[in-house]
Amino acid sequence: IRLGPGALAGGLLKSTPLFVNGVLYFSAPDHAWAVDARNGKEIWHFFWKTSGGDHIGNRGLGMYGRWLYLETPDGYVVSLDAGTGKERWHKQIADVRAEYFATSPPIVIRDHVIVGVSGDALDVPGWLESRDPETGEIQWKWYTTPRAGESGIETWPDAYAAEHGGGMPWQPVTYDPDLNLIYATTGNPNPVYRGDLRKGANLYTASIVALNPDKGKMAWYFQSSPHDTHDWDAAQVPVLFDLNLNGQPRKLLAQASRNGFFFMLDRTNGQNLITTTFVESPNWFKGVDERGQPDPNPEKDSQLGGTLISPNNGGAANWTPPTYDPETELIYLNTAQGYEIHYQYKTDGPSFGSSGHISQAVGGIGASLRAIDPKTGKLRWVHKYAGTEWNPPRPEHLGGLLSTAGKLLFAGAPGGFLVAYNPETGRQLWHTSFDRDVSNTPITYMLDGVQYVLAAAGDTLYAFRVQQ
């Protein structure tokens, strides 16, 4: 399926399609499509007449019965009829004039449509909100930073700094129906690199936060990057799984964070069980505190004359989802290891966003596919991507991962490859190539007795039939 010229800003399809009753639903900034899952023929196409916003990507649609939900670059949530693609209603989430935008697929939990906002160019607040799937009216709103008198305000210089502290929740939430908790991952604080202007841990930015989806009340939090000064938000996908640890069944959550750390938590209460690095080069921290959170080294903040930092701004991991295989009990993800020099310079007037800062990439160790044993946090195997040492790609440019019950692991690789690996060993079993790198998370589905594997590269979706 080739979407055609003008359909995608930047030419990257990042959406993970929904497969429902023989139809694939997917999106791009200002666009949504329904196509026949048998032959790729378009059923309908919706175009949103935008008022602007950052068109860096759109990661998918939410669905409730026969209704679809789309976030737009100019800060709206739009409801569509899944059968026709006609708009039912639209509601503004945030004002594009304040540099807000939206990229995330809405997540539907019972009668809640959960949406979040993006944007850290200005000193504006971040939040999640729940909307009624029938009417679009707001049900609750949770700010990612505390207000005066609320818990966590002591981690900011004052209430004004907290209220304008960012923490955009630009990834979709993850839901546990047994615990009735959603897990939201929050973005970096603001000003992005000027930690001296917001002394303290800056809760609840760069954190994993558990919320009640019916009321939007926080149950617990864990901060992946306390007092982040390198744009290492914690908006990487958390993986939920159950394991026996020391003979006891545990409900677990794991995250491979942009800052180079792997965390495993008890998802019922946020207790840290494992903290370790999953790449070899992170150099920005002094140690780990009693909660399992990294302790940042202030000497690695950006400064006059520059400071050498690893990971680089793209992070050791980024927004594309990892995958967990319940048979191997391993977590898989694409990673990158790069170095960057961060400089600080003086600015006149107030500082917000990335003002007063510039960085320069200076090479790296390279990109790789890694298998992590969550019981120990140690690597089981590493597949290095040759030729990525000097200029490692950002991890999201390799796409998300897919593991299957048929003992296959699908992953994008540099050079436009989609590869199937043996998940036990990392041995390559099959590959194909495209004219662009894999840009979304592959999916698999069964239709008319045939299994398909679907992946996007650039502006095109590719479907493969699995031979029986």
Side-chain angles (χ1 to χ4, degrees), residues 69-145:
Y69 303 91
L70 169 72
E71 290 191 23
T72 70
D74 53 350
Y76 286 84
V77 58
V78 183
S79 179
L80 306 176
D81 184 292
T84 64
K86 301 297 184 182
E87 181 182 324
R88 298 178 56 244
W89 50 255
H90 66 264
K91 301 290 183 181
Q92 188 178 47
I93 310 170
D95 194 335
V96 68
R97 293 172 296 181
E99 302 289 345
Y100 284 108
F101 59 98
T103 62
S104 175
I107 298 298
V108 179
I109 300 169
R110 294 186 297 278
D111 61 343
H112 306 292
V113 180
I114 312 295
V115 294
V117 293
S118 302
D120 58 9
L122 296 179
D123 54 340
V124 290
W127 68 84
L128 277 177
E129 63 186 36
S130 174
R131 291 186 174 264
D132 186 292
E134 295 196 32
T135 66
E137 295 304 312
I138 193 165
Q139 297 168 327
W140 56 255
K141 192 171 187 176
W142 176 76
Y143 286 100
T144 60
T145 56

Side-chain angles (χ1 to χ4, degrees), residues 5 26 66 108 141 166 170 177 264 289 308 313 329 337 349 433:
F26 59 96
R66 294 294 295 166
V108 179
K141 192 171 187 176
W170 53 268
M264 189 169 72
D289 68 16
L308 183 67
N313 177 262
E329 297 184 341
Q337 298 183 75
S433 61

Side-chain angles (χ1 to χ4, degrees), residues 244-310:
N244 282 319
L245 293 180
N246 301 318
Q248 297 294 323
R250 301 291 293 267
K251 293 182 176 295
L252 304 171
L253 177 152
Q255 184 192 61
S257 186
R258 189 164 167 171
N259 63 19
F261 273 90
F262 174 82
F263 306 102
M264 189 169 72
L265 313 176
D266 183 319
R267 69 176 184 268
T268 67
N269 56 22
Q271 177 192 2
N272 175 265
L273 303 175
I274 290 176
T275 294
T276 186
T277 55
F278 64 91
V279 290
E280 291 80 18
S281 62
N283 69 352
W284 60 273
F285 62 96
K286 295 188 295 184
V288 175
D289 68 16
E290 66 280 359
R291 284 201 64 183
Q293 300 172 153
D295 183 13
N297 183 354
E299 294 182 1
K300 288 298 184 178
D301 289 353
S302 58
Q303 56 187 266
L304 296 174
T307 305
L308 183 67
I309 299 296
S310 182

Side-chain angles (χ1 to χ4, degrees), residues 133-179:
E134 295 196 32
T135 66
E137 295 304 312
I138 193 165
Q139 297 168 327
W140 56 255
K141 192 171 187 176
W142 176 76
Y143 286 100
T144 60
T145 56
R147 299 300 179 262
E150 295 180 349
S151 176
I153 194 67
E154 71 280 358
T155 66
W156 292 86
D158 51 47
Y160 180 89
E163 183 175 349
H164 295 264
M168 304 302 169
W170 53 268
Q171 279 273 50
V173 299
T174 303
Y175 179 56
D176 183 331
D178 294 333
L179 299 175

